[in-house]
Amino acid sequence: MTGYDDYGMPVGAYAEPESLTHQAYRVARAFVIYRAIPAAQQIRGSNWSWRKSLSLVKVLIVVWFITLYWGERSVFKGSVDHCRWEQWEKWDASANPHRLIFVADPQLVDPHTYPGRPWPLDTLTVKHTDLYMRRTYSRMQKILYPDTVIFLGDLFDGGREWSTRTTTSPEAQYRKYGDSFWLREYARFGNIFFGHWGDGGLLTRRGQEGRKIISSLPGNHDLGFGKGIQSSVRKRFEAYFGHGNRVDVLGNHTFVSIDSVSLSALGQENPESVKELWSPTAEFLGQVKGQKQRLVHKELRRQQGFKPDLLYFHDIVESSELPKAQLPQFRESVAEFPTILLTHVPLYREEGTPCGPLREHWPPTPPPKGQTEPLEKDDRNAIAVRGGYQYQNVMHRDITKDIAEKIGDLQYAFSGDDHDYCEVVHRSYPSAGSGIREITVKSISWAMGVRKPGVLMVSMWNPVDNTGKPLATDASAPTLQTHLCLLPDQLAIFIRYATLFGLTIISLAIRAGLITSGRIGTNSTAHSPILPTAEHEKEKAELSHQANDSLDATSSNSSTSTERAHLQVRNAGARTRSVSPSAGYALPTPQSNYAYPLIQHAGYYGAADESKMEPKSWSTKPMKKKTKKTGCGLFIQELRNTVFFVGVPVFAWYFWLIRN
């Protein structure tokens, strides 16, 4: 007998809820019992075959899944894997080179890039170019893990056009874009490159000073070119990225960066009117030799374990002696490190100077028959010597000569701007002896006119003694090796997607046509009921049999009915009656002949006078049979359904890939 507590509630009426683990177990158990096991029994009991399982829709889904994974993952990983340092470096086994990557012309796509491109094409272009650079840059950090990354200018595409607080854009269509828009572009650049700098880690490699990223070199799309530069635009750029004129010592090599777009104003008409533009770079070049020497001293002291900077002496100096007073200086003489020039605008060269076989857009012109050497002058393969609004393909001849003389002992130069690869040796300018080898680096963006973007990898190994002299036995041996790392062809990936899309539509259209013509069947169950039902006559006979038989027969029929494969269907008409039950609506007396609970006989009120009952009808409204489509209607329905069944999982997979 159930007990009651002090509050009059049955004991055990309330209990703690089941734990999440137990609930999950019950759900899993129910899934196995009511879904997995019946499905397995159905497969085992049916005529299962590979032909039925590998339907066209399923095959297309699998093909799309594989293709999208290749285009969004495998091709990027494979391209960067082919550029591993160990596969092309040629140093001694004991070498520990400094590894550097040059990134040129990201030129983030903005309203200046494609001004007439409609929505949503412009938005998709921005998203996909950013996604491409983010993937390749992140993959480089994880796989290549460079010690230093240097950008060679043109970080933005329309940076020079966005107005400042004191100036407006030279072009009226861009005057609505101001500082707030530039700041959003700066954050966008940072999210792509600064935000993924540590994807491979932040630890310093053995024997290196530390990891470094340098992005201060400006391009003509960042500031403008020559006299077209606005001082406030340049100040804004330098405030966030640093000064374009600087000296860095990396891997026992001296890198000299110059703001060549501002210096180029010196070679235009009436340069004195815009002296504030070119004078900072000119002053920097006048002092660069001394700065190079000081930085080499500091680096050698650091390598020897001393403090890099000399200490200042605290002393009282008479005013008369102030003109003779000097700051502490390094007294010992040291050798120079190999000097490398960094500039956005390439150095001047003669018209038609060939760029070599690695130039993608305009490969070298084949030499005449019987000649094996490449052409000495190849206008097709060369960088055109010309200029226009806010750009100039190469620097002025006199400016280039002045740069080489003032920096001194130049061995290498790296530039951007052209978007394609170009390698030239300049022998007409002062250099370290064998000419200045200049490499113009490819753009990292697939929207800059080259099908295969790229970056330039540089490996530097220059062991020196305490005075900076090389320890290598062969003084003429190169201390720097380069490798062009090509990145995926994004347009080719899109073309492959478009081709597969066309084949998918054609295949599904052929399938729909064959179904329409009756040559193949369809597994569509759109016109079938959700649950199986019994036939109309059989249900009528069963109902009559249940009403007139005895208790034993009724029980027998109830048991038999439970074992049938079909379900009975009852509707409102089956319960319609014109008179009350003979025994009334009260519950039966305990002397009832029922041997089972009344719930077993719900709806049965005993035998009644059939003459007073209304004729039984199975349904009050005739069911409308859905007409089966034929011809063009069936073709469109099948094509639409199959495209939907393929498209939903494929698009879900694609969006997951691009978001992760």
Side-chain angles (χ1 to χ4, degrees):
M1 184 174 180
T2 304
Y4 296 89
D5 57 18
D6 296 338
Y7 299 96
M9 300 300 295
V11 176
Y14 298 96
E16 290 293 330
E18 295 180 343
S19 64
L20 293 177
T21 304
H22 189 69
Q23 293 181 39
Y25 166 75
R26 291 202 302 109
V27 171
R29 182 173 179 273
F31 176 81
V32 171
I33 294 175
Y34 297 108
R35 288 291 184 269
I37 294 178
Q41 293 175 348
Q42 183 178 2
I43 293 175
R44 186 168 59 249
S46 62
N47 296 325
W48 182 87
S49 65
W50 284 105
R51 183 177 180 183
K52 292 182 179 180
S53 299
L54 297 179
S55 64
L56 177 62
V57 173
K58 296 177 181 177
V59 170
L60 288 174
I61 291 175
V62 172
V63 171
W64 268 108
F65 271 48
I66 296 174
T67 304
L68 290 175
Y69 187 84
W70 168 84
E72 304 300 321
R73 289 290 188 277
S74 299
V75 68
F76 288 89
K77 184 177 183 298
S79 296
V80 179
D81 276 341
H82 287 2
C83 300
R84 289 182 179 272
W85 305 92
E86 301 82 7
Q87 298 182 6
W88 57 270
E89 284 179 329
K90 297 178 181 179
W91 305 116
D92 295 335
S94 59
N96 182 26
H98 186 93
R99 292 166 172 173
L100 180 149
I101 290 180
F102 284 115
V103 178
D105 302 89
Q107 280 189 230
L108 301 186
V109 174
D110 54 31
H112 178 268
T113 311
Y114 305 106
R117 182 164 290 189
W119 185 90
L121 191 57
D122 59 341
T123 303
L124 291 176
T125 304
V126 170
K127 295 297 184 182
H128 273 284
T129 51
D130 287 5
L131 178 63
Y132 181 93
M133 289 187 286
R134 184 183 300 112
R135 282 177 173 170
T136 53
Y137 184 77
S138 176
R139 185 64 62 181
M140 284 188 289
Q141 298 300 327
K142 294 178 180 178
I143 297 178
L144 304 180
Y145 200 67
D147 301 310
T148 306
V149 172
I150 298 179
F151 290 82
L152 295 175
D154 274 358
L155 311 183
F156 310 114
D157 188 68
R160 67 191 180 205
E161 305 293 345
W162 315 142
S163 303
T164 66
R165 295 181 180 179
T166 58
T167 60
T168 58
S169 173
E171 299 189 44
Q173 59 180 328
Y174 302 125
R175 288 173 185 167
K176 61 182 179 180
Y177 302 100
D179 269 337
S180 59
F181 186 84
W182 190 92
L183 289 173
R184 289 197 296 271
E185 294 297 285
Y186 173 76
R188 181 177 155 207
F189 180 89
N191 290 335
I192 296 174
F193 297 106
F194 299 153
H196 292 274
W197 168 247
D199 285 359
L202 296 174
L203 297 178
T204 302
R205 287 198 313 116
R206 180 183 60 84
Q208 304 300 324
E209 183 180 359
R211 303 192 72 209
K212 184 181 293 186
I213 180 170
I214 302 173
S215 58
S216 58
L217 192 69
N220 60 303
H221 281 267
D222 301 317
L223 307 184
F225 186 85
K227 297 175 69 174
I229 296 176
Q230 301 183 75
S231 296
S232 58
V233 172
R234 185 173 66 181
K235 290 177 181 178
R236 180 177 60 188
F237 183 89
E238 291 178 346
Y240 286 88
F241 290 102
H243 291 281
N245 303 307
R246 58 182 292 164
V247 179
D248 297 278
V249 175
L250 304 169
N252 290 346
H253 290 72
T254 304
F255 289 79
V256 180
S257 303
I258 62 168
D259 179 4
S260 56
V261 293
S262 298
L263 185 64
S264 295
L266 188 60
Q268 297 177 338
E269 295 182 1
N270 194 15
E272 292 299 324
S273 63
V274 288
K275 187 176 180 179
E276 71 277 2
L277 295 180
W278 55 264
S279 58
T281 306
E283 294 173 2
F284 168 78
L285 288 173
Q287 304 172 0
V288 69
K289 286 186 178 179
Q291 189 171 353
K292 284 170 52 180
Q293 189 178 32
R294 285 194 297 272
L295 290 177
V296 170
H297 269 287
K298 292 175 64 175
E299 177 62 19
L300 292 175
R301 288 177 61 85
R302 185 195 66 79
Q303 294 179 7
Q304 297 173 43
F306 302 131
K307 291 184 177 181
D309 296 305
L310 292 178
L311 298 178
Y312 290 92
F313 298 101
H314 298 274
D315 198 0
I316 299 175
V317 179
E318 298 293 337
S319 58
S320 59
E321 298 179 1
L322 281 177
K324 301 178 182 179
Q326 295 181 353
L327 294 175
Q329 298 179 359
F330 294 101
R331 298 299 179 185
E332 66 272 14
S333 61
V334 294
E336 284 196 8
F337 290 160
T339 304
I340 300 170
L341 172 66
L342 304 182
T343 169
H344 176 71
V345 185
L347 303 178
Y348 178 83
R349 75 283 313 275
E350 294 293 336
E351 185 81 30
T353 304
C355 287
L358 295 180
R359 190 166 178 80
E360 175 191 329
H361 192 64
W362 299 110
T365 302
K369 188 176 181 180
Q371 180 179 337
T372 57
E373 295 294 330
L375 299 179
E376 293 184 2
K377 184 178 181 180
D378 189 352
D379 293 332
R380 172 189 173 184
N381 184 241
I383 294 179
V385 182
R386 61 170 179 262
Y389 172 73
Q390 296 281 40
Y391 83 93
Q392 190 170 296
N393 290 341
V394 297
M395 282 191 287
H396 194 274
R397 182 201 299 266
D398 294 337
I399 294 178
T400 303
K401 184 179 179 180
D402 189 56
I403 291 173
E405 289 177 349
K406 290 183 176 179
I407 294 178
D409 296 329
L410 276 178
Q411 292 189 8
Y412 300 92
F414 297 95
S415 57
D417 185 68
D418 187 66
H419 299 172
D420 205 349
Y421 187 89
C422 182
E423 186 170 348
V424 176
V425 178
H426 302 277
R427 303 187 186 278
S428 58
Y429 304 116
S431 63
S434 58
I436 304 173
R437 180 190 172 200
E438 180 188 2
I439 296 179
T440 301
V441 182
K442 269 194 166 191
S443 172
I444 193 177
S445 173
W446 64 270
M448 294 297 116
V450 289
R451 292 287 296 272
K452 286 190 174 182
V455 296
L456 188 70
M457 304 172 63
V458 179
S459 178
M460 298 177 293
W461 176 240
N462 181 33
V464 296
D465 60 14
N466 294 340
T467 62
K469 294 181 179 180
L471 296 176
T473 55
D474 185 4
S476 62
T479 60
L480 182 150
Q481 299 174 10
T482 63
H483 176 76
L484 173 60
C485 180
L486 293 176
L487 302 176
D489 185 351
Q490 184 66 59
L491 288 178
I493 296 174
F494 286 156
I495 291 173
R496 182 167 296 195
Y497 289 168
T499 303
L500 182 56
F501 177 78
L503 292 176
T504 300
I505 296 298
I506 292 173
S507 302
L508 296 178
I510 293 175
R511 175 188 178 277
L514 293 175
I515 291 176
T516 304
S517 62
R519 297 191 177 184
I520 62 174
T522 176
N523 295 329
S524 177
T525 60
H527 306 296
S528 302
I530 297 177
L531 294 175
T533 59
E535 296 179 0
H536 179 67
E537 294 298 330
K538 187 173 182 180
E539 294 292 346
K540 284 184 65 177
E542 190 70 33
L543 186 62
S544 176
H545 186 67
Q546 189 180 29
N548 297 323
D549 282 357
S550 61
L551 175 62
D552 295 336
T554 302
S555 301
S556 176
N557 288 339
S558 176
S559 176
T560 305
S561 175
T562 305
E563 298 174 356
R564 288 201 311 269
H566 297 286
L567 300 175
Q568 292 185 0
V569 178
R570 300 175 64 93
N571 59 17
R575 296 194 179 191
T576 304
R577 54 183 65 86
S578 58
V579 296
S580 300
S582 58
Y585 289 98
L587 294 174
T589 60
Q591 288 78 19
S592 174
N593 293 328
Y594 290 104
Y596 297 95
L598 294 180
I599 193 63
Q600 299 283 348
H601 309 277
Y604 175 67
Y605 299 99
D609 188 358
E610 294 185 2
S611 62
K612 296 181 180 180
M613 295 181 64
E614 295 180 358
K616 295 183 178 66
S617 61
W618 183 247
S619 66
T620 58
K621 295 182 180 180
M623 295 181 62
K624 292 182 179 180
K625 187 175 181 181
K626 197 172 182 180
T627 58
K628 187 176 181 181
K629 291 185 178 181
T630 58
C632 184
L634 179 60
F635 177 84
I636 295 175
Q637 175 181 290
E638 288 294 332
L639 181 60
R640 183 184 64 241
N641 291 344
T642 50
V643 168
F644 177 79
F645 290 145
V646 174
V648 169
V650 168
F651 273 103
W653 174 239
Y654 177 69
F655 286 125
W656 185 88
L657 288 174
I658 63 177
R659 286 183 63 86
N660 296 275

